Amino acid sequence: MKVLVLGAGVVGVTTAYYLARQGHEVKVVDRQPSVAMETSYGNAGQVSFGFSSPWAAPGIPQKAVKWMFQEHAPLKIQPKMDSNMGRFMMQMLSNCNPDSYALNKERMVRVAEHSRACINALRDETGLRYEDRQRGLLQLFRTEKQVEAVGKDMKVLEQCGVRHELLDASRIAQVEPALARVPGKFVGGLHLPDDQTGDCHLFTNRLADYCREKLGVEFMFNTTIERLTRVSGKVEAVHTSAGTLSADAYVMALGSYSPFLARDLDIRLPIYPVKGYSLTLPVVDDGGAPQSTVMDETFKVAISRFDDRIRVGGTAELASYDLSLAEKRRATISMVVRDVFPEGGDLAKAEFWTGLRPMTPDSTPIIGATKYDNLWLNTGHGTLGWTMSCGSAQLLSDLIDGRTPAINPDGLAVSRYAA
């Protein structure tokens, strides 16, 4: 079967990989000159299966009001005349209750845990290396209230069989030795030993090379996807700047830009771009740098270790499709890495980047079928596209092939928003 994958970020390329492995003739189309040039380029570097949690959580509305008046807040809202922003915020608020949180958390962890198995198998099969480490993630707490609040997450982790351990302040340096240099800052941490780190941009490029050389996947770059046409309940063709393309099946993996293309087909995708920022700085003191990933729960900033670089990612900013680099956001993530690992990296040489995370109101990705027989969705992964990419792609390839899926797909398709 001929399959067109629309989008060459980490989700699109992993989708191409699994479909090609199953014998399909796959072509990937993207407007950029190469793979992973947008959201997948400079993300936080954490492959955080166990840390998968909804942004929409009990207490978030109250926190959001408080964050409006804080200099270094994890969430910022840029007021705009944007009805989509208002709609997204209302839908997100409707998920900020215990029942919705538990349901969404289970769906996210279900996909993420499958993704853990998939990326481990992919690494074994392909031999790909991408400055990856399999040393876990440490969520750091600055207050006892944060320690108490993590209890509900630990219950879901237990139900899903995710290994984890709650550490007191005396033990966090056993996991991340450099934290011994900043005593008294943290009261404890949640350690997820099976989480991983890696350079998503490097991973996606090397997997694309593998797909091209070993599996015969074709990539079309510098090609703008303009619209889809339909006939008799099916997608007929994709119209692009390079001409009209047709296939037996189509996969939309366009992240934050998916709603524009879907709208022409009368499919409403409740995806909104949540802007994130990152810094990439050289390691200057290995003993003062992280060895894997730490997440500062107070500021929602992740700090990950590559070979000789540190990646610092954070801030959720609602600013529509604005990609300008805000120095105030740089100040926040700079402050956090300086506070947690003051001697580890050289901030003066940091690369500053921003990208748009395709967020859904319930934080769960949209994976599966549409009302068109041959159109499939793999989008809306929010801050966890890198984490969930392999599991999402493998699941979708099963669904497209009509196989019994490796995990339960209930609650993942766009149909969950029908009401």
Side-chain angles (χ1 to χ4, degrees):
M1 182 166 64
K2 292 183 179 180
V3 185
L4 270 177
V5 177
L6 310 179
V10 67
V11 173
V13 173
T14 50
T15 299
Y17 167 76
Y18 285 101
L19 287 170
R21 276 180 79 245
Q22 293 184 184
H24 298 295
E25 182 181 333
V26 182
K27 181 182 291 186
V28 182
V29 185
D30 198 279
R31 65 182 180 183
Q32 295 292 345
S34 184
V35 303
M37 293 301 292
E38 297 192 32
T39 304
S40 302
Y41 180 81
N43 73 1
Q46 61 186 102
V47 194
S48 48
F49 315 105
F51 189 70
S52 301
S53 294
W55 277 78
I60 286 295
Q62 295 85 349
K63 290 180 181 178
V65 173
K66 182 178 67 174
W67 288 335
M68 289 173 64
F69 304 99
Q70 290 183 357
E71 180 183 4
H72 299 302
L75 174 65
K76 290 290 185 180
I77 300 172
Q78 299 295 338
K80 293 180 179 291
M81 296 297 291
D82 184 351
S83 60
N84 291 325
M85 180 191 291
R87 186 181 302 112
F88 172 80
M89 291 176 66
M90 292 302 296
Q91 290 176 310
M92 184 175 176
L93 287 172
S94 72
N95 280 276
C96 292
N97 62 78
D99 290 343
S100 295
Y101 181 87
L103 175 65
N104 297 330
K105 172 85 174 178
E106 186 280 326
R107 289 171 174 171
M108 295 174 72
V109 173
R110 189 197 321 159
V111 176
E113 282 300 296
H114 180 49
S115 202
R116 183 201 308 279
C118 289
I119 196 171
N120 289 342
L122 182 152
R123 204 166 47 240
D124 290 342
E125 178 176 315
T126 64
L128 292 187
R129 308 309 303 190
Y130 40 95
E131 299 192 24
D132 53 297
R133 297 182 176 213
Q134 289 76 50
R135 302 186 188 182
L137 177 145
L138 180 62
Q139 184 181 7
L140 293 171
F141 306 121
R142 294 177 183 260
T143 68
E144 291 294 344
K145 188 175 182 179
Q146 290 172 339
V147 175
E148 294 171 7
V150 81
K152 61 181 180 295
D153 286 340
M154 293 172 63
K155 289 180 181 178
V156 177
L157 294 176
E158 290 168 7
Q159 293 168 2
C160 295
V162 179
R163 290 202 303 154
H164 62 282
E165 184 179 9
L166 189 62
L167 308 178
D168 61 26
S170 66
R171 295 185 58 204
I172 57 176
Q174 295 175 11
V175 175
E176 284 288 352
L179 295 177
R181 301 188 185 186
V182 287
K185 286 192 183 294
F186 304 101
V187 300
L190 179 66
H191 185 218
L192 299 155
D194 297 323
D195 282 6
Q196 305 174 15
T197 62
D199 185 332
C200 181
H201 180 254
L202 184 60
F203 169 85
T204 310
N205 273 271
R206 290 185 172 172
L207 183 61
D209 289 342
Y210 183 93
C211 287
R212 188 183 295 109
E213 296 165 7
K214 303 292 185 179
L215 300 175
V217 174
E218 181 182 349
F219 289 85
M220 286 184 67
F221 297 119
N222 299 304
T223 303
T224 300
I225 300 164
E226 297 169 347
R227 61 190 175 91
L228 303 179
T229 53
R230 54 188 169 171
V231 61
S232 302
K234 289 188 175 184
V235 171
E236 180 183 35
V238 178
H239 300 269
T240 77
S241 58
T244 300
L245 306 173
S246 60
D248 301 306
Y250 303 82
V251 178
M252 193 182 297
L254 293 167
S256 296
Y257 296 91
S258 299
F260 296 110
L261 201 62
R263 186 170 55 202
D264 292 337
L265 298 174
D266 298 322
I267 298 173
R268 173 167 284 183
L269 299 181
I271 293 172
Y272 194 80
V274 176
K275 191 175 180 181
Y277 296 85
S278 75
L279 292 172
T280 307
L281 50 153
V283 172
V284 294
D285 178 359
D286 184 72
Q291 296 307 302
S292 189
T293 291
V294 302
M295 168 61 75
D296 188 323
E297 176 62 17
T298 299
F299 300 101
K300 306 290 186 184
V301 170
I303 308 171
S304 298
R305 177 66 181 272
F306 298 159
D307 286 354
D308 56 3
R309 298 172 294 149
I310 299 171
R311 174 68 54 77
V312 191
T315 303
E317 184 177 2
L318 298 183
S320 190
Y321 289 84
D322 174 18
L323 282 168
S324 60
L325 288 164
E327 286 300 317
K328 288 183 178 180
R329 310 298 170 251
R330 180 176 188 146
T332 294
I333 54 180
S334 295
M335 178 276 294
V336 174
V337 70
R338 188 186 299 115
D339 190 55
V340 182
F341 298 106
E343 302 166 350
D346 188 350
L347 270 170
K349 297 181 179 177
E351 174 191 353
F352 189 33
W353 172 89
T354 189
L356 302 176
R357 304 135 162 171
M359 186 72 75
T360 61
D362 54 15
S363 300
T364 305
I366 300 172
I367 309 165
T370 69
K371 61 184 179 180
Y372 298 96
D373 293 344
N374 61 342
L375 177 64
W376 303 81
L377 301 173
N378 196 4
T379 187
H381 294 75
T383 60
L384 295 169
W386 178 204
T387 294
M388 295 185 176
S389 57
C390 290
S392 299
Q394 196 283 323
L395 170 62
L396 188 69
S397 68
D398 278 349
L399 294 173
I400 291 174
D401 264 4
R403 302 185 185 200
T404 300
I407 61 171
N408 183 358
D410 289 353
L412 301 178
V414 70
S415 57
R416 73 179 184 267
Y417 296 110

